[in-house]
Amino acid sequence: MSFLEVTAFLFDGFKISLLIFAVTLLCGAPLGLPIAFCSMSRFKIVKSISKVIVWIVRGIPLMLQIFIIYYVPGLLFGYQLFGQIDRYMFIEYGIADAGRITAVLIAFALNYACYFSEIYRGGIESISKGQYEAGYVLGLTKSQIFRKIILKQVIQRIVPPMSNEIITLIKDTALANCIMVCEIIKNAKELAATKALIWPLFFTGVFYLVFVGVLTVVLNKAEKKLSYFRS
Amino acid sequence: MAILEVSNIKKSFGKTEVLKDISFTLEKGDVLSIIGSSGSGKTTLLRCLNFLETTDCGKIVADGEVLFDSEDKTKMTDEKIRENRLNFGLVFQNFNLFPQYTVLQNLTLAPTLLKKGDDVTIKQKALELIKKVGLEEKADFYPCQLSGGQQQRVAIARALALNPKILFFDEPTSALDPELTMEVLNVIKGLKESGCTMVIVTHEMAFARDVSDKVIFMDGGVIVEQGDPEQVINNPQNERTKHFLNRYKENS
């Protein structure tokens, strides 16, 4: 196999890595917000449930969560729900794979939503009470205060920890190969097994490095753009 | 008629009684200073009057309108509390400017959100107020680019942007060094000259004496002594007031 053929084959795998990355961000980041609000709820039950969920999701290895989400529904109901979703959603991309993709996406989105929720919660709770009170004495509503005063300060504070998570995420996508999802490392291992080529496995690092490099530049720009004020 | 009538206000946090039966009145255009040691309940009183804390007992009447009456059992809605707050302005010890907005935006934010006029009028008024506190060349600066004294002057202008009937100050110079303190006190003196009704919690005794029409000395959640500033500060009658003011004289 030529270098170009190997690169193309690995890149096919990296596209799956990028898919997991994108879907996790697009679903996990918004999903983290209601979880964060539940964790800060005045209602003790809501708060406890939310905290227990976050504890479990952050307390179990992501790999194990992928196994659980992939195998347990089938064991319980004997029905390949994820397989149906896979065929319905991803068949035209040629990656439908007996529910593996869907299971991985769900596991990742849930897992990262919980991590994101804790970052949001930390960010929101770090804003001084004085900012709310300044809004109150100006006759603003709670929602106006949150949207117009608090939110931007929270965003400024959570960009660095979010950047960290986002950079971790692209490397975590490699965990998908534990249920044989054809992401980049799975493809490299396949080359090692079928073509006796070991170097592509190491070469995958370059894909990650380039992508993380681009991410770092973009995230630093975002951080800089928000640094015009100090809260 | 008094612009502010406070009668029999009580407030406890858990078992600690912080305000025990506070009553006073304030005339329009007058400046009232509240002095007293830390923990005497001065700040809590201001926070109760601005509805940042719920008063347990008593009555608050502003300009003839009953804002709060513990006898009246109808529940205070969020809407009513917000309307109440708009009667007053409050300047905080640590300014609490909105860091992501410029000086001008800090002033226009609330009037714009509360639809207190069209954008042009609101902006014009804001610029006038910024000029009044002597910061016209800083209108487009962010709070982090200003000194503490300048930030506090912006906070005063921001509170004035909603035309409060009474402006409250919670130790407005406690976070400032003596030089910056002067510039803020001068702004407050200027406001008095323009007829602004103010209530000032302060540790600046000389200032309280010079600028106030009335001084209240609080201790342990009660008003120990109140009256003419010359009388309360230069010639206090009560032992606790004497003791408190003596320690100030020793320090200065």
Side-chain angles (χ1 to χ4, degrees), chain A residues 1 49 87 96 103 132 171 176 178 192 194 204 222:
Chain A
M1 260 182 120
I49 293 174
R87 268 194 290 283
Y132 292 90
K171 291 167 292 166
C178 73
T194 59
T204 58

Side-chain angles (χ1 to χ4, degrees), chain B residues 82-95:
Chain B
R82 251 181 297 126
E83 273 172 29
N84 283 348
R85 285 180 180 137
L86 282 175
N87 283 289
F88 307 138
L90 177 61
V91 174
F92 298 87
Q93 181 175 350
N94 45 4
F95 332 133

Side-chain angles (χ1 to χ4, degrees), chain B residues 165-216:
Chain B
K165 292 178 185 138
I166 306 172
L167 189 52
F168 290 84
F169 295 83
D170 184 10
E171 300 189 23
T173 58
S174 294
L176 303 174
D177 69 37
E179 202 172 336
L180 298 178
T181 296
M182 277 321 294
E183 65 179 59
V184 170
L185 296 183
N186 285 335
V187 167
I188 299 176
K189 276 182 191 155
L191 291 177
K192 179 187 161 68
E193 275 152 30
S194 60
C196 184
T197 315
M198 293 182 279
V199 176
I200 307 167
V201 167
T202 184
H203 290 299
E204 300 287 331
M205 293 306 146
F207 171 74
R209 190 187 53 216
D210 297 344
V211 82
S212 319
D213 299 290
K214 183 176 173 182
V215 171
I216 283 178

Side-chain angles (χ1 to χ4, degrees), chain A residues 128-131 133-142 144 147-153 228-231, chain B residues 47 50 52 78 82 85-86 88 90 92 96-101 106 109-110 113-114 142 144 158-159 162:
Chain A
S128 84
K129 227 175 75 199
Q131 289 290 309
E133 292 184 342
Y136 287 140
V137 295
L138 291 170
L140 304 182
T141 64
K142 277 179 193 160
Q144 284 171 331
R147 283 181 293 120
K148 299 289 182 177
I149 299 169
I150 306 299
L151 190 60
K152 201 160 195 185
Q153 298 180 48
Y228 69 91
F229 68 91
R230 220 169 34 228
S231 63
Chain B
R47 292 174 59 84
N50 282 280
L52 290 175
D78 284 356
R82 251 181 297 126
R85 285 180 180 137
L86 282 175
F88 307 138
L90 177 61
F92 298 87
N96 290 334
L97 294 180
F98 306 132
Q100 73 269 43
Y101 292 120
N106 261 279
L109 180 72
L113 289 175
L114 298 172
Y142 288 95
C144 63
R158 182 177 70 179
L162 288 166

Side-chain angles (χ1 to χ4, degrees), chain A:
Chain A
M1 260 182 120
S2 74
F3 177 74
L4 275 181
E5 280 169 325
V6 168
T7 308
F9 185 62
L10 291 179
F11 190 70
D12 276 345
F14 199 58
K15 279 194 272 189
I16 305 287
S17 305
L18 290 177
L19 173 77
I20 300 170
F21 174 83
V23 172
T24 305
L25 267 189
L26 289 177
C27 300
L31 185 60
L33 209 54
I35 301 177
F37 282 122
C38 288
S39 295
M40 294 184 288
S41 172
R42 279 177 294 156
F43 305 106
K44 274 211 168 126
I45 299 179
V46 176
K47 190 172 171 167
S48 313
I49 293 174
S50 176
K51 295 232 167 192
V52 168
I53 291 174
V54 171
W55 170 58
I56 292 174
V57 171
R58 293 202 307 172
I60 296 177
L62 178 52
M63 190 191 276
L64 185 52
Q65 286 172 40
I66 295 170
F67 285 137
I68 291 171
I69 287 178
Y70 183 54
Y71 291 118
V72 169
L75 290 172
L76 285 182
F77 309 112
Y79 177 69
Q80 281 287 338
L81 173 66
F82 296 153
Q84 300 294 339
I85 299 177
D86 249 24
R87 268 194 290 283
Y88 185 72
M89 302 266 297
F90 300 115
I91 192 92
E92 43 188 307
Y93 304 105
I95 52 172
D97 202 2
R100 295 171 206 277
I101 302 269
T102 305
V104 158
L105 293 179
I106 292 172
F108 267 81
L110 270 181
N111 185 273
Y112 271 80
C114 286
Y115 278 97
F116 289 152
S117 82
E118 284 297 284
I119 293 178
Y120 299 157
R121 188 177 65 83
I124 292 170
E125 287 180 345
S126 74
I127 305 299
S128 84
K129 227 175 75 199
Q131 289 290 309
Y132 292 90
E133 292 184 342
Y136 287 140
V137 295
L138 291 170
L140 304 182
T141 64
K142 277 179 193 160
S143 120
Q144 284 171 331
I145 292 172
F146 187 78
R147 283 181 293 120
K148 299 289 182 177
I149 299 169
I150 306 299
L151 190 60
K152 201 160 195 185
Q153 298 180 48
V154 172
I155 292 173
Q156 187 200 47
R157 286 186 189 190
I158 66 174
V159 165
M162 285 295 279
S163 305
N164 231 345
E165 284 299 316
I166 290 169
I167 285 170
T168 308
L169 169 60
I170 185 64
K171 291 167 292 166
D172 271 2
T173 58
L175 286 170
N177 89 59
C178 73
I179 55 166
M180 297 303 178
V181 167
C182 303
E183 50 75 56
I184 184 168
I185 289 188
K186 164 82 172 21
N187 278 7
K189 278 161 57 179
E190 197 178 306
L191 290 179
T194 59
K195 313 269 183 198
L197 289 174
I198 192 67
W199 65 265
L201 189 56
F202 307 122
F203 183 51
T204 58
V206 175
F207 287 80
Y208 290 106
L209 275 177
V210 169
F211 189 65
V212 168
V214 174
L215 275 182
T216 308
V217 171
V218 172
L219 293 168
N220 280 350
K221 271 216 171 113
E223 197 174 326
K224 214 166 190 178
K225 205 167 173 207
L226 278 165
S227 67
Y228 69 91
F229 68 91
R230 220 169 34 228
S231 63

